[in-house]
Amino acid sequence: MRNIFDQYSHPENKLTHSLISCLNEDKKLLSSFLKKFCPKYFSDVSSLKIDQQTLPGTKSLQLSDDKKKGLPDGVIYNDEKCLIIECKINDTLTEDQLNRHERTVKRKGFDNTFGLTITKNNISDINLKNWIHITWKQVYGWAYEEKSKSNWSNKLLD
């Protein structure tokens, strides 16, 4: 049987798709993720929406200038706030890319944004206001802690 997360050919996109899909399917897992890595940003997860490889509220992106201007890997949002997620494995993460993502999301009407980067290794050369950084090792450590509570955490680990 084909893996449900095998939608992309690029490993970075596969990994991001797996994480975002699992968070989307299990609100308790989403709540745990946000409490662990972005505490106090969202007070209620029940109203949150999650999109990937697109902008908030845009299910299919017309590949216009938005791709060039900054298309985040994932967004978690409600009517007031938007968490921008950018993931990397081997590619270089730059401040310019993160700034473009933030500007693009703000153009969609979100003035209250926060960013989360997830990379293979720790980064020290990027220090932007409203952005935090974690590693994939931290994400998988968290998922391992959640595996007895969520089937979706197990799917993410697989």
Side-chain angles (χ1 to χ4, degrees):
M1 184 167 121
R2 185 175 178 202
N3 187 310
I4 61 170
F5 302 120
D6 193 17
Q7 305 299 312
Y8 296 93
S9 58
H10 196 269
E12 190 170 279
N13 291 337
K14 284 183 181 183
L15 200 53
T16 303
H17 178 64
S18 297
L19 174 62
I20 299 296
S21 295
C22 290
L23 295 177
N24 187 53
E25 292 298 325
D26 186 338
K27 290 289 187 184
K28 288 182 183 178
L29 190 64
L30 172 62
S31 178
S32 171
F33 179 84
L34 293 171
K35 283 179 186 173
K36 174 81 174 179
F37 300 115
C38 304
K40 301 177 185 172
Y41 187 62
F42 291 111
S43 58
D44 178 25
V45 300
S46 65
S47 65
L48 294 180
K49 298 173 187 123
I50 302 174
D51 290 326
Q52 56 187 314
Q53 298 290 322
T54 191
L55 298 174
T58 309
K59 289 297 177 189
S60 63
L61 181 71
Q62 300 81 19
L63 290 176
S64 61
D65 292 336
D66 286 323
K67 182 74 173 166
K68 297 175 198 166
K69 292 178 184 173
L71 184 62
D73 290 331
V75 286
I76 301 172
Y77 61 100
N78 60 21
D79 290 337
E80 300 150 7
K81 299 178 177 182
C82 183
L83 173 66
I84 304 165
I85 300 173
E86 182 61 29
C87 303
K88 298 290 183 192
I89 298 176
N90 295 320
D91 293 341
T92 303
L93 184 66
T94 67
E95 284 188 20
D96 179 61
Q97 180 184 27
L98 301 178
N99 283 325
R100 285 192 324 263
H101 291 342
E102 196 168 355
R103 283 192 306 269
T104 300
V105 169
K106 285 184 178 188
R107 278 195 307 274
K108 289 292 288 179
F110 291 92
D111 292 325
N112 189 346
T113 63
F114 189 72
L116 174 68
T117 60
I118 308 172
T119 61
K120 180 179 173 184
N121 299 310
N122 283 318
I123 55 172
S124 59
D125 57 339
I126 295 179
N127 188 18
L128 293 173
K129 182 182 174 189
N130 294 332
W131 283 85
I132 61 169
H133 172 73
I134 61 175
T135 64
W136 281 108
K137 184 176 181 178
Q138 290 173 285
V139 171
Y140 278 94
W142 160 80
Y144 185 80
E145 292 170 3
E146 294 293 317
K147 73 179 190 168
S148 66
K149 303 173 200 167
S150 171
N151 287 333
W152 285 99
S153 181
N154 287 315
K155 291 176 190 225
L156 176 61
L157 290 168
D158 286 345

